[in-house]
Amino acid sequence: MAVSSSCFAKPPLSAASPSFQCRSDPPDFSFSSFPKAESSSRPGSRRLSADAPVRAYGLSSSLILRFPPNFVRQLSTKARRNCSNIGVAQIVAAAWSDGGVKGVNDKAAAAVPAAAFDEEVCSNGSVQVQEAKVVTGGSLKPSFLSFDGSLAVHAGERLGRGIVTDAITTPVVNTSAYFFKKTEELIDFKEKRHASFEYGRYGNPTTVVAEEKISALEGAESTLILASGMCASTVLLMSLVPAGGHIVTTTDCYRKTRVFIETFLPKMGITASVIDPADNEGLESALKNNKVSLFFTESPTNPLFRCVDIKLVSELCHKYGALVCIDGTFATPLNQKALALGADLVLHSATKFIAGHNDVIAGCISGSEKLVTAIRTLHHVLGGVLNPNAAYLIIRGMKTLHLRVQQQNLTAMKMAEVLEAHPKVKRVYYPGLPSHPEHSIAKQQMTGFGGVVSFEVDGDLHRTIKFVDALRIPYIAPSFGGCESIVDQPAIMSYWDLTQAERVAFGIKDNLVRFSFGVEDFEDVKADVLQALHSI
């Protein structure tokens, strides 16, 4: 949306210019004190009405400073950058002498309902929010954006960012605590009449932007970001499964998730049934014979990319009163919409495709406000909080998510076909191939098949090592989903502490290779893989 340049005209600096003033008693910006709609001196502009429902993602904090009109425009470029990055905790809700917007945080005040936004232009010229509409699941989706790529760029920011700044990028709010002007305001906060985060463990304006982006892509009412994918998994399991409860999970899964289910949950009296991802009869049997609280699985799974029929298992689990959580890390929110297929929750290791640059560790959980709030309550106790600097990296990474995933999907699909046809490759695991056991399921519920391929080299442990070491482009490393290609031999990288027989019991053969394709050119990657295979 274009804004007239006249909004930002700089007044001449003179002795007559308004001076910078301190306020000893800033005005109250609780919900009850929002200004009524009033006409603006600029034609076509509108102000937010107190009785209009709002859903903003900002922080209504105390005002310390009163700025003269266009003060920020008079700052030097360097000073403005510093204000945006290190001073934003103080100016986040600053009022201009000629009026402005006061943001509120909907996550701290349940009384503020989700609703549509009309474009609102402050009299000081700053654009804060644009037209949006409520979509299925309660998340906001603007009427003028139809595709996930656009949402990944703008959700939580141009579409309603509560941090008041002219910066295109979301500032990092580095603060451990939030203050209250008076004790009365603190009491209002405790009784849900005033919005704040209170303490850094309970929330952060930068982190909220990242959460809203993910919610928009997943079609979720709410998203919680945590310090890692495993933190997300463990907090979710502990908060939703009661002591003495029962869960169902699948055979092929991330090893540390299996360790937590098998080793730590039993200490709380929680038992588990483990079934094959395609064993729907086994799932129904477990639901009938146990009081199951949760069905928790990856889809696709790690590292063999098995897929569950999310729609079918959700209907089955709901019939018996069990919740369904899908770890969609390999799928990404672009390739698969687990909530739309019937799942109650979707979890991601945001470290992987979502952040996408191999430089941040994070996890996230999306779903209904009710379920995510229950998880958030335990999260506030356990304290696995994401640093706001990491949240900034996720926001930055998500703006290229659709471009990266498109390239990675394409490269992985082509390479899976190349590998399957190669005489030195015994088997390829990729849901996009017709040979995959759940290919038909993947076609029904995925729009792309992901950027990671697993395959078995025709040889033993040492011949496979020779192949991996001959590769020139990928790094030998754990993780996946970044811009750089990564390769690993699971028998060594993740299961080396087990015997060969124990590894095979988990489906991990010595010749298994997991290859995460980055955003390099396909022809370069293909040539590298072929030369490495030729060398063995």
Side-chain angles (χ1 to χ4, degrees), residues 125-151:
S126 64
V127 179
Q128 293 304 319
V129 293
Q130 293 183 329
E131 179 187 348
K133 64 181 180 182
V134 177
V135 296
T136 303
S139 64
L140 284 176
K141 183 175 181 180
S143 59
F144 57 90
L145 295 182
S146 302
F147 298 97
D148 284 344
S150 301
L151 284 176

PDB file of all heavy atoms in Angstrom, residues 125-151:
ATOM      1  N   GLY A 125       1.511   9.517  10.007  1.00  0.00           N
ATOM      2  CA  GLY A 125       1.916   8.922   8.746  1.00  0.00           C
ATOM      3  C   GLY A 125       2.359   7.481   8.832  1.00  0.00           C
ATOM      4  O   GLY A 125       2.670   6.884   7.813  1.00  0.00           O
ATOM      5  N   SER A 126       2.427   6.876  10.007  1.00  0.00           N
ATOM      6  CA  SER A 126       2.913   5.495  10.076  1.00  0.00           C
ATOM      7  C   SER A 126       1.782   4.512   9.839  1.00  0.00           C
ATOM      8  O   SER A 126       0.719   4.622  10.427  1.00  0.00           O
ATOM      9  CB  SER A 126       3.559   5.220  11.437  1.00  0.00           C
ATOM     10  OG  SER A 126       2.609   5.320  12.462  1.00  0.00           O
ATOM     11  N   VAL A 127       2.022   3.562   8.954  1.00  0.00           N
ATOM     12  CA  VAL A 127       1.013   2.548   8.642  1.00  0.00           C
ATOM     13  C   VAL A 127       1.238   1.350   9.552  1.00  0.00           C
ATOM     14  O   VAL A 127       2.318   0.804   9.605  1.00  0.00           O
ATOM     15  CB  VAL A 127       1.135   2.107   7.167  1.00  0.00           C
ATOM     16  CG1 VAL A 127       0.109   1.050   6.853  1.00  0.00           C
ATOM     17  CG2 VAL A 127       0.943   3.307   6.263  1.00  0.00           C
ATOM     18  N   GLN A 128       0.214   0.940  10.270  1.00  0.00           N
ATOM     19  CA  GLN A 128       0.395  -0.154  11.220  1.00  0.00           C
ATOM     20  C   GLN A 128      -0.275  -1.445  10.786  1.00  0.00           C
ATOM     21  O   GLN A 128       0.283  -2.508  10.938  1.00  0.00           O
ATOM     22  CB  GLN A 128      -0.141   0.241  12.600  1.00  0.00           C
ATOM     23  CG  GLN A 128       0.660   1.351  13.253  1.00  0.00           C
ATOM     24  CD  GLN A 128       2.110   1.004  13.381  1.00  0.00           C
ATOM     25  OE1 GLN A 128       2.454  -0.115  13.717  1.00  0.00           O
ATOM     26  NE2 GLN A 128       2.985   1.933  13.082  1.00  0.00           N
ATOM     27  N   VAL A 129      -1.496  -1.369  10.296  1.00  0.00           N
ATOM     28  CA  VAL A 129      -2.208  -2.593   9.966  1.00  0.00           C
ATOM     29  C   VAL A 129      -2.965  -2.409   8.670  1.00  0.00           C
ATOM     30  O   VAL A 129      -3.237  -1.292   8.249  1.00  0.00           O
ATOM     31  CB  VAL A 129      -3.205  -2.986  11.083  1.00  0.00           C
ATOM     32  CG1 VAL A 129      -2.489  -3.373  12.338  1.00  0.00           C
ATOM     33  CG2 VAL A 129      -4.182  -1.864  11.376  1.00  0.00           C
ATOM     34  N   GLN A 130      -3.303  -3.525   8.049  1.00  0.00           N
ATOM     35  CA  GLN A 130      -4.075  -3.485   6.832  1.00  0.00           C
ATOM     36  C   GLN A 130      -5.245  -4.430   6.925  1.00  0.00           C
ATOM     37  O   GLN A 130      -5.344  -5.239   7.838  1.00  0.00           O
ATOM     38  CB  GLN A 130      -3.191  -3.850   5.637  1.00  0.00           C
ATOM     39  CG  GLN A 130      -2.107  -2.806   5.372  1.00  0.00           C
ATOM     40  CD  GLN A 130      -1.301  -3.161   4.159  1.00  0.00           C
ATOM     41  OE1 GLN A 130      -1.124  -4.326   3.846  1.00  0.00           O
ATOM     42  NE2 GLN A 130      -0.817  -2.154   3.466  1.00  0.00           N
ATOM     43  N   GLU A 131      -6.117  -4.366   5.925  1.00  0.00           N
ATOM     44  CA  GLU A 131      -7.328  -5.170   5.919  1.00  0.00           C
ATOM     45  C   GLU A 131      -7.009  -6.649   6.058  1.00  0.00           C
ATOM     46  O   GLU A 131      -6.127  -7.176   5.425  1.00  0.00           O
ATOM     47  CB  GLU A 131      -8.081  -4.940   4.611  1.00  0.00           C
ATOM     48  CG  GLU A 131      -9.348  -5.764   4.497  1.00  0.00           C
ATOM     49  CD  GLU A 131      -9.965  -5.623   3.124  1.00  0.00           C
ATOM     50  OE1 GLU A 131      -9.535  -4.733   2.372  1.00  0.00           O
ATOM     51  OE2 GLU A 131     -10.872  -6.395   2.835  1.00  0.00           O
ATOM     52  N   ALA A 132      -7.727  -7.344   6.925  1.00  0.00           N
ATOM     53  CA  ALA A 132      -7.549  -8.781   7.087  1.00  0.00           C
ATOM     54  C   ALA A 132      -8.899  -9.394   7.356  1.00  0.00           C
ATOM     55  O   ALA A 132      -9.871  -8.707   7.629  1.00  0.00           O
ATOM     56  CB  ALA A 132      -6.592  -9.082   8.239  1.00  0.00           C
ATOM     57  N   LYS A 133      -8.989 -10.708   7.294  1.00  0.00           N
ATOM     58  CA  LYS A 133     -10.242 -11.380   7.593  1.00  0.00           C
ATOM     59  C   LYS A 133      -9.952 -12.639   8.373  1.00  0.00           C
ATOM     60  O   LYS A 133      -8.876 -13.205   8.318  1.00  0.00           O
ATOM     61  CB  LYS A 133     -10.999 -11.705   6.314  1.00  0.00           C
ATOM     62  CG  LYS A 133     -10.280 -12.700   5.407  1.00  0.00           C
ATOM     63  CD  LYS A 133     -11.075 -12.952   4.133  1.00  0.00           C
ATOM     64  CE  LYS A 133     -10.347 -13.940   3.221  1.00  0.00           C
ATOM     65  NZ  LYS A 133     -11.062 -14.174   1.972  1.00  0.00           N
ATOM     66  N   VAL A 134     -10.935 -13.081   9.145  1.00  0.00           N
ATOM     67  CA  VAL A 134     -10.787 -14.297   9.924  1.00  0.00           C
ATOM     68  C   VAL A 134     -11.010 -15.496   9.013  1.00  0.00           C
ATOM     69  O   VAL A 134     -11.951 -15.535   8.242  1.00  0.00           O
ATOM     70  CB  VAL A 134     -11.797 -14.324  11.087  1.00  0.00           C
ATOM     71  CG1 VAL A 134     -11.687 -15.633  11.845  1.00  0.00           C
ATOM     72  CG2 VAL A 134     -11.552 -13.149  12.016  1.00  0.00           C
ATOM     73  N   VAL A 135     -10.120 -16.488   9.113  1.00  0.00           N
ATOM     74  CA  VAL A 135     -10.251 -17.694   8.310  1.00  0.00           C
ATOM     75  C   VAL A 135     -10.430 -18.892   9.228  1.00  0.00           C
ATOM     76  O   VAL A 135     -10.371 -18.786  10.443  1.00  0.00           O
ATOM     77  CB  VAL A 135      -9.019 -17.912   7.404  1.00  0.00           C
ATOM     78  CG1 VAL A 135      -8.897 -16.800   6.398  1.00  0.00           C
ATOM     79  CG2 VAL A 135      -7.753 -18.010   8.235  1.00  0.00           C
ATOM     80  N   THR A 136     -10.634 -20.053   8.627  1.00  0.00           N
ATOM     81  CA  THR A 136     -10.858 -21.275   9.390  1.00  0.00           C
ATOM     82  C   THR A 136      -9.754 -21.496  10.402  1.00  0.00           C
ATOM     83  O   THR A 136      -8.579 -21.396  10.090  1.00  0.00           O
ATOM     84  CB  THR A 136     -10.916 -22.484   8.439  1.00  0.00           C
ATOM     85  OG1 THR A 136     -11.939 -22.231   7.478  1.00  0.00           O
ATOM     86  CG2 THR A 136     -11.221 -23.758   9.198  1.00  0.00           C
ATOM     87  N   GLY A 137     -10.140 -21.820  11.605  1.00  0.00           N
ATOM     88  CA  GLY A 137      -9.171 -22.049  12.657  1.00  0.00           C
ATOM     89  C   GLY A 137      -8.927 -20.827  13.511  1.00  0.00           C
ATOM     90  O   GLY A 137      -8.298 -20.902  14.545  1.00  0.00           O
ATOM     91  N   GLY A 138      -9.420 -19.671  13.074  1.00  0.00           N
ATOM     92  CA  GLY A 138      -9.293 -18.481  13.893  1.00  0.00           C
ATOM     93  C   GLY A 138      -8.103 -17.609  13.553  1.00  0.00           C
ATOM     94  O   GLY A 138      -7.953 -16.534  14.079  1.00  0.00           O
ATOM     95  N   SER A 139      -7.210 -18.071  12.647  1.00  0.00           N
ATOM     96  CA  SER A 139      -6.057 -17.260  12.309  1.00  0.00           C
ATOM     97  C   SER A 139      -6.453 -16.177  11.321  1.00  0.00           C
ATOM     98  O   SER A 139      -7.410 -16.311  10.586  1.00  0.00           O
ATOM     99  CB  SER A 139      -4.956 -18.131  11.698  1.00  0.00           C
ATOM    100  OG  SER A 139      -5.397 -18.689  10.493  1.00  0.00           O
ATOM    101  N   LEU A 140      -5.691 -15.100  11.318  1.00  0.00           N
ATOM    102  CA  LEU A 140      -5.980 -14.003  10.417  1.00  0.00           C
ATOM    103  C   LEU A 140      -5.324 -14.232   9.069  1.00  0.00           C
ATOM    104  O   LEU A 140      -4.157 -14.560   8.992  1.00  0.00           O
ATOM    105  CB  LEU A 140      -5.470 -12.692  11.022  1.00  0.00           C
ATOM    106  CG  LEU A 140      -6.320 -12.103  12.142  1.00  0.00           C
ATOM    107  CD1 LEU A 140      -5.634 -10.884  12.698  1.00  0.00           C
ATOM    108  CD2 LEU A 140      -7.700 -11.745  11.652  1.00  0.00           C
ATOM    109  N   LYS A 141      -6.081 -14.027   8.004  1.00  0.00           N
ATOM    110  CA  LYS A 141      -5.530 -14.094   6.655  1.00  0.00           C
ATOM    111  C   LYS A 141      -6.074 -12.907   5.881  1.00  0.00           C
ATOM    112  O   LYS A 141      -7.279 -12.716   5.799  1.00  0.00           O
ATOM    113  CB  LYS A 141      -5.901 -15.391   5.965  1.00  0.00           C
ATOM    114  CG  LYS A 141      -5.293 -15.529   4.576  1.00  0.00           C
ATOM    115  CD  LYS A 141      -5.596 -16.885   3.982  1.00  0.00           C
ATOM    116  CE  LYS A 141      -4.974 -17.016   2.610  1.00  0.00           C
ATOM    117  NZ  LYS A 141      -5.263 -18.344   2.008  1.00  0.00           N
ATOM    118  N   PRO A 142      -5.194 -12.085   5.318  1.00  0.00           N
ATOM    119  CA  PRO A 142      -5.652 -10.897   4.607  1.00  0.00           C
ATOM    120  C   PRO A 142      -6.366 -11.261   3.312  1.00  0.00           C
ATOM    121  O   PRO A 142      -6.004 -12.226   2.649  1.00  0.00           O
ATOM    122  CB  PRO A 142      -4.356 -10.138   4.328  1.00  0.00           C
ATOM    123  CG  PRO A 142      -3.311 -11.204   4.301  1.00  0.00           C
ATOM    124  CD  PRO A 142      -3.746 -12.221   5.309  1.00  0.00           C
ATOM    125  N   SER A 143      -7.355 -10.476   2.969  1.00  0.00           N
ATOM    126  CA  SER A 143      -8.130 -10.759   1.774  1.00  0.00           C
ATOM    127  C   SER A 143      -7.325 -10.557   0.501  1.00  0.00           C
ATOM    128  O   SER A 143      -7.659 -11.097  -0.544  1.00  0.00           O
ATOM    129  CB  SER A 143      -9.372  -9.870   1.737  1.00  0.00           C
ATOM    130  OG  SER A 143      -8.988  -8.505   1.738  1.00  0.00           O
ATOM    131  N   PHE A 144      -6.251  -9.769   0.574  1.00  0.00           N
ATOM    132  CA  PHE A 144      -5.498  -9.465  -0.645  1.00  0.00           C
ATOM    133  C   PHE A 144      -4.296 -10.389  -0.844  1.00  0.00           C
ATOM    134  O   PHE A 144      -3.539 -10.213  -1.792  1.00  0.00           O
ATOM    135  CB  PHE A 144      -5.037  -8.007  -0.638  1.00  0.00           C
ATOM    136  CG  PHE A 144      -4.202  -7.632   0.564  1.00  0.00           C
ATOM    137  CD1 PHE A 144      -2.829  -7.764   0.544  1.00  0.00           C
ATOM    138  CD2 PHE A 144      -4.812  -7.152   1.710  1.00  0.00           C
ATOM    139  CE1 PHE A 144      -2.070  -7.420   1.638  1.00  0.00           C
ATOM    140  CE2 PHE A 144      -4.060  -6.809   2.817  1.00  0.00           C
ATOM    141  CZ  PHE A 144      -2.682  -6.950   2.783  1.00  0.00           C
ATOM    142  N   LEU A 145      -4.079 -11.363   0.043  1.00  0.00           N
ATOM    143  CA  LEU A 145      -3.003 -12.336  -0.131  1.00  0.00           C
ATOM    144  C   LEU A 145      -3.604 -13.734  -0.234  1.00  0.00           C
ATOM    145  O   LEU A 145      -4.369 -14.150   0.617  1.00  0.00           O
ATOM    146  CB  LEU A 145      -2.021 -12.288   1.043  1.00  0.00           C
ATOM    147  CG  LEU A 145      -1.209 -10.999   1.223  1.00  0.00           C
ATOM    148  CD1 LEU A 145      -0.250 -11.142   2.388  1.00  0.00           C
ATOM    149  CD2 LEU A 145      -0.449 -10.641  -0.042  1.00  0.00           C
ATOM    150  N   SER A 146      -3.232 -14.456  -1.274  1.00  0.00           N
ATOM    151  CA  SER A 146      -3.813 -15.771  -1.521  1.00  0.00           C
ATOM    152  C   SER A 146      -2.814 -16.915  -1.361  1.00  0.00           C
ATOM    153  O   SER A 146      -3.211 -18.068  -1.303  1.00  0.00           O
ATOM    154  CB  SER A 146      -4.393 -15.832  -2.943  1.00  0.00           C
ATOM    155  OG  SER A 146      -5.376 -14.829  -3.130  1.00  0.00           O
ATOM    156  N   PHE A 147      -1.527 -16.614  -1.283  1.00  0.00           N
ATOM    157  CA  PHE A 147      -0.530 -17.669  -1.323  1.00  0.00           C
ATOM    158  C   PHE A 147       0.367 -17.665  -0.085  1.00  0.00           C
ATOM    159  O   PHE A 147       0.624 -16.619   0.515  1.00  0.00           O
ATOM    160  CB  PHE A 147       0.323 -17.530  -2.592  1.00  0.00           C
ATOM    161  CG  PHE A 147      -0.478 -17.676  -3.856  1.00  0.00           C
ATOM    162  CD1 PHE A 147      -0.926 -16.551  -4.538  1.00  0.00           C
ATOM    163  CD2 PHE A 147      -0.797 -18.930  -4.354  1.00  0.00           C
ATOM    164  CE1 PHE A 147      -1.674 -16.676  -5.696  1.00  0.00           C
ATOM    165  CE2 PHE A 147      -1.543 -19.062  -5.514  1.00  0.00           C
ATOM    166  CZ  PHE A 147      -1.986 -17.942  -6.190  1.00  0.00           C
ATOM    167  N   ASP A 148       0.843 -18.871   0.260  1.00  0.00           N
ATOM    168  CA  ASP A 148       1.682 -19.027   1.442  1.00  0.00           C
ATOM    169  C   ASP A 148       2.955 -18.194   1.377  1.00  0.00           C
ATOM    170  O   ASP A 148       3.433 -17.692   2.394  1.00  0.00           O
ATOM    171  CB  ASP A 148       2.058 -20.500   1.616  1.00  0.00           C
ATOM    172  CG  ASP A 148       0.921 -21.332   2.165  1.00  0.00           C
ATOM    173  OD1 ASP A 148      -0.037 -20.736   2.699  1.00  0.00           O
ATOM    174  OD2 ASP A 148       0.978 -22.564   2.059  1.00  0.00           O
ATOM    175  N   GLY A 149       3.523 -18.064   0.176  1.00  0.00           N
ATOM    176  CA  GLY A 149       4.749 -17.287   0.051  1.00  0.00           C
ATOM    177  C   GLY A 149       4.565 -15.852   0.489  1.00  0.00           C
ATOM    178  O   GLY A 149       5.429 -15.280   1.172  1.00  0.00           O
ATOM    179  N   SER A 150       3.441 -15.252   0.133  1.00  0.00           N
ATOM    180  CA  SER A 150       3.164 -13.873   0.541  1.00  0.00           C
ATOM    181  C   SER A 150       2.914 -13.795   2.043  1.00  0.00           C
ATOM    182  O   SER A 150       3.343 -12.844   2.716  1.00  0.00           O
ATOM    183  CB  SER A 150       1.951 -13.337  -0.229  1.00  0.00           C
ATOM    184  OG  SER A 150       2.184 -13.389  -1.620  1.00  0.00           O
ATOM    185  N   LEU A 151       2.216 -14.790   2.580  1.00  0.00           N
ATOM    186  CA  LEU A 151       1.977 -14.815   4.023  1.00  0.00           C
ATOM    187  C   LEU A 151       3.283 -14.939   4.790  1.00  0.00           C
ATOM    188  O   LEU A 151       3.476 -14.300   5.828  1.00  0.00           O
ATOM    189  CB  LEU A 151       1.062 -15.995   4.392  1.00  0.00           C
ATOM    190  CG  LEU A 151      -0.425 -15.839   4.084  1.00  0.00           C
ATOM    191  CD1 LEU A 151      -1.158 -17.124   4.416  1.00  0.00           C
ATOM    192  CD2 LEU A 151      -1.024 -14.674   4.852  1.00  0.00           C
TER     193      LEU A 151
END
